[in-house]
Amino acid sequence: MAKVTLLPPGKRGEAGRQQVRMQDDLADSTAQTVGQYFRAVRLSRGEEIATVARALRIRSDQVAAIEESRLDDLPGRTYAIGFVRSYAQHLGLAPAEFVDRFKAEIGGPAEQFPLKGLPPDAGEGGLPYSWLLMALIVLGVVGYAGYHLVRSANLPSVQPVAPVPAVMSPDSEKHGSPVKRPVHGQPRPNIASPSSVPAASASGPQPIAVTPPASGTPANSALAALPQGQVYGIQNRNARVVIHARAATHVLVQGLGAKVFINRILHPGDAYRVPDLVGLSLTTPDGGAVLLELDGQFAGVAGRAGQLTEALSLDPQAIVDRAHRANPG
């Protein structure tokens, strides 16, 4: 039987725990299991199993399973070794020595015993939870993908936008109707006269016929006078709306949730290709300095010269509606 000797009070630890010096001869060391040894030391310290369980942050039945060598009632090899290490530290023993003895008792490093349920808290043992982390990551990825699948399935289909009206009066620039001009280096089309526009059939609106620009029109003169400038948003290859600056002005294009797409000063001749998205709007301190382009055709200016244009819708249908209001006939 192992002998247990209590240290004098003057040599006890700062935490007030009783330190023990175990004196085992060779026969006692091989005769006792690690659990039996721990139980003897615990009793010599006057501690209950519940006290040890709280200190180790594990369940009381798991402390009893260690002391009685009931390995099948422990959650697994890795966790059991962690329990033994923490228990040895708690009793003031050498953790490495008792971990090695415990490994030998359970059959060596290659042997495993089945899991019986994880402890509520790993505590000082530093037990790994990598499997739980991986499960959470997988669940997060699956949930994210499922959310986007459901969201895309519920999005309403985009209806085709009616073409730009055939006639736009020169006064449209004064009332903030968007104006469209082609990208630099391409021929600038002009809107056809009313006589060249085919009547709408029962199946829907027909495309607008486009004829070469008539010389001397105010819109054509304004575009012809624009210098070559910097083009922004070139990554938006399917852009239907293009903003052109005929005077230096600040432009702010925002989308849903106040997302900013461009927020800078455009100089004369600069252009911005607007993303083909729903809900975009334009704000500029000088509406008359900004020309708009829709599907390669002029659609007016953004607003009155020298006056603030705020949150002007850049949706193609909104541009068409404004054009119809400016030219009701």
Side-chain angles (χ1 to χ4, degrees):
M1 181 66 180
K3 297 179 181 180
V4 179
T5 304
L6 296 179
L7 295 178
K11 295 184 180 180
R12 296 174 184 173
E14 295 180 0
R17 293 181 177 177
Q18 295 178 340
Q19 302 296 320
V20 296
R21 181 185 299 117
M22 307 303 300
Q23 299 175 344
D24 287 339
D25 56 18
L26 181 59
D28 287 339
S29 175
T30 56
Q32 283 187 305
T33 66
V34 170
Q36 292 171 339
Y37 199 76
F38 284 178
R39 183 176 184 276
V41 177
R42 175 178 62 78
L43 293 175
S44 71
R45 292 161 59 99
E47 293 185 358
E48 299 291 338
I49 287 182
T51 303
V52 176
R54 285 194 298 270
L56 302 186
R57 302 176 70 181
I58 62 178
R59 300 196 305 266
S60 297
D61 63 316
Q62 292 171 335
V63 176
I66 294 174
E67 294 182 353
E68 298 170 9
S69 299
R70 290 185 282 106
L71 303 184
D72 288 342
D73 293 334
L74 294 175
R77 176 188 175 86
T78 302
Y79 294 98
I81 291 174
F83 294 165
V84 169
R85 180 181 291 106
S86 299
Y87 202 168
Q89 290 175 343
H90 173 73
L91 296 175
L93 305 175
E97 174 185 349
F98 285 91
V99 166
D100 290 342
R101 288 179 56 180
F102 182 72
K103 287 181 180 179
E105 290 178 10
I106 64 178
E111 185 172 335
Q112 302 283 343
F113 46 88
L115 296 176
K116 287 289 185 178
L118 299 181
D121 194 333
E124 299 175 358
L127 305 179
Y129 285 105
S130 58
W131 65 270
L132 179 59
L133 178 60
M134 290 299 298
L136 291 176
I137 292 175
V138 171
L139 288 175
V141 171
V142 172
Y144 183 80
Y147 165 76
H148 280 276
L149 285 175
V150 173
R151 184 173 179 270
S152 60
N154 293 332
L155 286 177
S157 58
V158 179
Q159 299 298 326
V161 178
V164 178
V167 179
M168 300 185 70
S169 67
D171 292 337
S172 62
E173 295 190 5
K174 300 179 181 179
H175 294 85
S177 299
V179 174
K180 177 72 179 178
R181 76 177 179 88
V183 179
H184 296 301
Q186 297 180 357
R188 297 187 174 96
N190 190 24
I191 298 176
S193 63
S195 60
S196 64
V197 180
S201 65
S203 60
Q206 299 298 318
I208 296 177
V210 177
T211 60
S215 59
T217 61
N220 186 55
S221 299
L223 291 176
L226 289 177
Q228 296 293 326
Q230 180 70 38
V231 178
Y232 299 94
I234 57 176
Q235 71 276 10
N236 303 321
R237 300 183 181 277
N238 297 324
R240 299 184 60 190
V241 178
V242 181
I243 295 173
H244 299 275
R246 61 180 177 183
T249 186
H250 184 275
V251 296
L252 169 65
V253 174
Q254 292 178 290
L256 298 176
K259 179 179 179 181
V260 175
F261 289 87
I262 186 171
N263 183 15
R264 63 176 301 123
I265 293 177
L266 295 186
H267 297 279
D270 289 352
Y272 173 64
R273 297 173 58 85
V274 179
D276 189 14
L277 299 174
V278 176
L280 272 59
S281 64
L282 166 68
T283 298
T284 178
D286 186 358
V290 177
L291 306 179
L292 301 181
E293 176 184 352
L294 172 62
D295 295 334
Q297 296 188 8
F298 297 115
V301 294
R304 295 179 181 273
Q307 295 186 11
L308 173 68
T309 296
E310 185 175 8
L312 180 72
S313 175
L314 295 177
D315 289 347
Q317 185 62 59
I319 294 175
V320 171
D321 292 343
R322 287 196 298 269
H324 276 298
R325 289 195 297 270
N327 301 274

Coordinates of all heavy atoms in Angstrom, one line a residue, residues 75-83 85-86 112 115 117-135:
P75 N -15.1 9.5 -22.0 CA -15.5 9.9 -23.4 C -14.5 9.4 -24.5 O -14.9 9.4 -25.6 CB -15.5 11.4 -23.3 CG -14.6 11.8 -22.2 CD -14.7 10.6 -21.2
G76 N -13.3 9.1 -24.2 CA -12.4 8.7 -25.3 C -11.0 8.8 -24.8 O -10.7 9.4 -23.8
R77 N -10.1 8.2 -25.6 CA -8.7 8.1 -25.1 C -8.1 9.5 -24.9 O -7.5 9.8 -23.9 CB -7.9 7.4 -26.2 CG -6.4 7.3 -25.9 CD -5.6 6.7 -27.1 NE -4.2 6.8 -26.8 CZ -3.5 5.9 -26.2 NH1 -4.1 4.8 -25.7 NH2 -2.2 6.0 -26.0
T78 N -8.3 10.4 -25.9 CA -7.7 11.7 -25.8 C -8.2 12.5 -24.6 O -7.5 13.1 -23.9 CB -7.9 12.5 -27.1 OG1 -7.4 11.8 -28.2 CG2 -7.3 13.9 -27.1
Y79 N -9.5 12.4 -24.4 CA -10.1 13.1 -23.3 C -9.7 12.5 -22.0 O -9.4 13.2 -21.0 CB -11.6 13.1 -23.4 CG -12.1 13.9 -24.6 CD1 -12.5 13.3 -25.8 CD2 -12.2 15.3 -24.5 CE1 -12.9 14.0 -26.9 CE2 -12.7 16.0 -25.6 CZ -13.0 15.4 -26.8 OH -13.4 16.1 -27.9
A80 N -9.6 11.2 -21.9 CA -9.2 10.5 -20.7 C -7.8 10.9 -20.3 O -7.5 11.1 -19.1 CB -9.4 9.0 -20.9
I81 N -6.9 10.9 -21.3 CA -5.5 11.3 -21.0 C -5.5 12.8 -20.4 O -4.8 13.1 -19.5 CB -4.6 11.2 -22.2 CG1 -4.5 9.7 -22.5 CG2 -3.3 11.8 -22.0 CD1 -3.7 9.4 -23.8
G82 N -6.3 13.6 -21.0 CA -6.4 15.0 -20.5 C -6.9 15.1 -19.1 O -6.4 15.9 -18.3
F83 N -7.9 14.2 -18.8 CA -8.4 14.2 -17.4 C -7.4 13.8 -16.4 O -7.2 14.4 -15.4 CB -9.6 13.2 -17.3 CG -10.8 13.6 -18.1 CD1 -11.8 12.7 -18.4 CD2 -11.0 14.9 -18.6 CE1 -13.0 13.0 -19.1 CE2 -12.1 15.3 -19.3 CZ -13.1 14.3 -19.5
R85 N -4.1 14.0 -16.8 CA -3.1 15.1 -16.6 C -3.6 16.2 -15.7 O -2.9 16.6 -14.8 CB -2.8 15.7 -18.0 CG -1.7 16.8 -17.9 CD -1.4 17.4 -19.3 NE -0.7 16.4 -20.1 CZ -1.2 15.8 -21.1 NH1 -2.5 15.9 -21.5 NH2 -0.5 14.9 -21.8
S86 N -4.9 16.6 -15.9 CA -5.4 17.6 -15.0 C -5.6 17.2 -13.6 O -5.3 17.9 -12.6 CB -6.8 18.1 -15.6 OG -6.6 18.6 -16.9
Q112 N -7.7 2.4 -28.9 CA -8.7 3.4 -28.6 C -9.9 2.7 -27.9 O -10.0 1.5 -27.9 CB -9.3 4.0 -29.9 CG -8.2 4.7 -30.8 CD -7.9 6.0 -30.3 OE1 -8.6 6.6 -29.5 NE2 -6.8 6.6 -30.7
L115 N -16.2 6.4 -27.6 CA -16.6 7.7 -27.0 C -18.0 7.4 -26.3 O -18.8 6.7 -26.7 CB -16.8 8.8 -28.1 CG -15.6 9.2 -28.8 CD1 -16.0 10.2 -29.9 CD2 -14.6 9.8 -27.9
G117 N -19.6 10.3 -24.8 CA -20.2 11.6 -24.6 C -19.1 12.6 -24.1 O -18.3 12.3 -23.3
L118 N -19.1 13.8 -24.7 CA -18.1 14.8 -24.3 C -18.4 15.4 -23.0 O -19.6 15.6 -22.6 CB -18.0 15.8 -25.5 CG -17.6 15.2 -26.8 CD1 -17.6 16.4 -27.8 CD2 -16.3 14.5 -26.8
P119 N -17.4 15.9 -22.3 CA -17.6 16.7 -21.1 C -18.2 18.0 -21.4 O -18.1 18.5 -22.5 CB -16.2 16.8 -20.5 CG -15.3 16.8 -21.7 CD -16.0 15.8 -22.6
P120 N -18.9 18.6 -20.4 CA -19.6 19.9 -20.7 C -18.5 21.0 -20.9 O -18.8 22.0 -21.5 CB -20.4 20.2 -19.4 CG -19.7 19.3 -18.3 CD -19.2 18.1 -19.1
D121 N -17.3 20.9 -20.4 CA -16.3 21.9 -20.5 C -15.0 21.3 -20.5 O -14.7 20.4 -19.7 CB -16.4 23.0 -19.4 CG -15.6 24.2 -19.7 OD1 -14.7 24.1 -20.5 OD2 -16.0 25.3 -19.2
A122 N -14.1 21.6 -21.5 CA -12.8 21.0 -21.5 C -11.9 21.4 -20.4 O -11.1 20.7 -19.9 CB -12.1 21.4 -22.9
G123 N -12.1 22.6 -19.9 CA -11.3 23.1 -18.7 C -9.9 23.2 -18.9 O -9.4 23.5 -20.0
E124 N -9.1 22.8 -17.9 CA -7.6 23.0 -18.0 C -7.0 21.9 -18.8 O -5.8 22.1 -19.2 CB -7.0 22.9 -16.5 CG -7.6 24.0 -15.6 CD -7.1 23.8 -14.2 OE1 -6.4 22.8 -14.0 OE2 -7.4 24.6 -13.3
G125 N -7.7 20.9 -19.2 CA -7.1 19.8 -20.0 C -6.8 20.3 -21.4 O -6.1 19.7 -22.1
G126 N -7.4 21.4 -21.9 CA -7.2 21.9 -23.2 C -7.6 20.9 -24.3 O -6.9 20.6 -25.2
L127 N -8.7 20.3 -24.1 CA -9.2 19.2 -25.0 C -9.6 19.8 -26.4 O -10.2 20.9 -26.5 CB -10.4 18.5 -24.4 CG -10.1 17.9 -23.0 CD1 -11.3 17.2 -22.5 CD2 -8.9 17.0 -23.1
P128 N -9.3 19.1 -27.5 CA -9.5 19.7 -28.8 C -11.0 19.6 -29.2 O -11.7 18.7 -29.0 CB -8.7 18.8 -29.8 CG -8.6 17.5 -29.0 CD -8.6 17.8 -27.6
Y129 N -11.5 20.7 -29.9 CA -12.8 20.7 -30.4 C -12.8 21.0 -31.9 O -13.7 21.7 -32.5 CB -13.7 21.8 -29.7 CG -14.1 21.5 -28.3 CD1 -13.4 22.0 -27.2 CD2 -15.1 20.6 -28.1 CE1 -13.8 21.6 -25.9 CE2 -15.5 20.2 -26.8 CZ -14.9 20.7 -25.7 OH -15.3 20.4 -24.5
S130 N -11.8 20.6 -32.6 CA -11.6 20.8 -34.0 C -12.8 20.2 -34.8 O -13.2 20.8 -35.8 CB -10.3 20.3 -34.5 OG -10.2 18.9 -34.3
W131 N -13.3 19.1 -34.4 CA -14.4 18.5 -35.1 C -15.6 19.3 -35.1 O -16.4 19.5 -36.0 CB -14.7 17.1 -34.6 CG -15.1 17.1 -33.2 CD1 -14.4 17.0 -32.0 CD2 -16.5 17.2 -32.7 NE1 -15.2 17.1 -30.9 CE2 -16.5 17.2 -31.3 CE3 -17.7 17.3 -33.4 CZ2 -17.7 17.3 -30.6 CZ3 -18.9 17.4 -32.7 CH2 -18.9 17.3 -31.3
L132 N -15.8 20.0 -33.9 CA -17.0 20.8 -33.7 C -16.9 22.1 -34.6 O -17.8 22.5 -35.2 CB -17.2 21.2 -32.3 CG -18.3 22.2 -31.9 CD1 -19.6 21.5 -32.3 CD2 -18.3 22.5 -30.4
L133 N -15.6 22.6 -34.7 CA -15.4 23.8 -35.5 C -15.6 23.5 -37.0 O -16.3 24.3 -37.7 CB -13.9 24.3 -35.3 CG -13.5 25.5 -36.1 CD1 -14.4 26.7 -35.8 CD2 -12.1 25.8 -35.9
M134 N -15.2 22.3 -37.4 CA -15.4 21.9 -38.8 C -16.9 21.8 -39.1 O -17.4 22.2 -40.2 CB -14.7 20.6 -39.1 CG -13.1 20.8 -39.2 SD -12.6 21.9 -40.4 CE -13.2 21.1 -41.9
A135 N -17.6 21.2 -38.2 CA -19.1 21.0 -38.4 C -19.8 22.4 -38.5 O -20.6 22.6 -39.3 CB -19.7 20.2 -37.2

